[in-house]
Amino acid sequence: MGVERPITATGSAVIAAAYVAEKEFAFDTMTLHLSAAPVTAGDIVVTLTAAAGAAYNTVIDRIDPAANALTDYVLQPDRPIIGGPGDGITVAYANADSRTYGLRLVVREARVQGVVPEVPVR
């Protein structure tokens, strides 16, 4: 498979990170560090977004860091999550307590198995 490409974001406001693919990709890992455990309830939501439209968007994971005094969150699916051109990964979190965060998504170019390249007719 292809080269890994980390996407990073940092700040202390709302997290609204998005990766949109130009070609087939595999989502491997997300890491998130918060400077301190939040006290206000609210979910971190990681979503596979679909170029085909919102009806196909799928929540990959959802967690409330305030529920467990969470400062570090690692999401690593058992198998890479595959997407195509225009699909993507979003991470959303209200960050009501304004914790400083460091977010890292690791995606890589991937050839989707079972997809046969178009062969010109002669």
Side-chain angles (χ1 to χ4, degrees):
M1 294 228 176
V3 177
E4 287 188 351
R5 179 177 167 209
I7 293 94
T8 59
T10 189
S12 59
V14 170
I15 298 176
Y19 164 75
V20 178
E22 295 177 6
K23 54 179 94 174
E24 288 82 12
F25 73 96
F27 166 59
D28 289 320
T29 307
M30 184 199 86
T31 59
L32 175 66
H33 173 74
L34 301 170
S35 60
V39 294
T40 304
D43 288 343
I44 298 166
V45 181
V46 183
T47 304
L48 173 65
T49 57
Y56 297 94
N57 291 354
T58 304
V59 173
I60 298 168
D61 200 35
R62 174 188 308 263
I63 189 167
D64 180 355
N68 297 305
L70 184 76
T71 57
D72 292 300
Y73 171 46
V74 177
L75 172 60
Q76 190 166 34
D78 292 336
R79 295 178 51 134
I81 295 174
I82 304 297
D87 294 341
I89 303 292
T90 62
V91 181
Y93 177 53
N95 199 10
D97 298 315
S98 299
R99 302 303 192 226
T100 300
Y101 66 88
L103 172 69
R104 185 171 182 262
L105 296 171
V106 178
V107 298
R108 58 188 157 85
E109 291 181 12
R111 181 176 175 90
V112 179
Q113 292 184 2
V115 176
V116 180
E118 194 172 309
V119 178
V121 177
R122 293 185 186 164

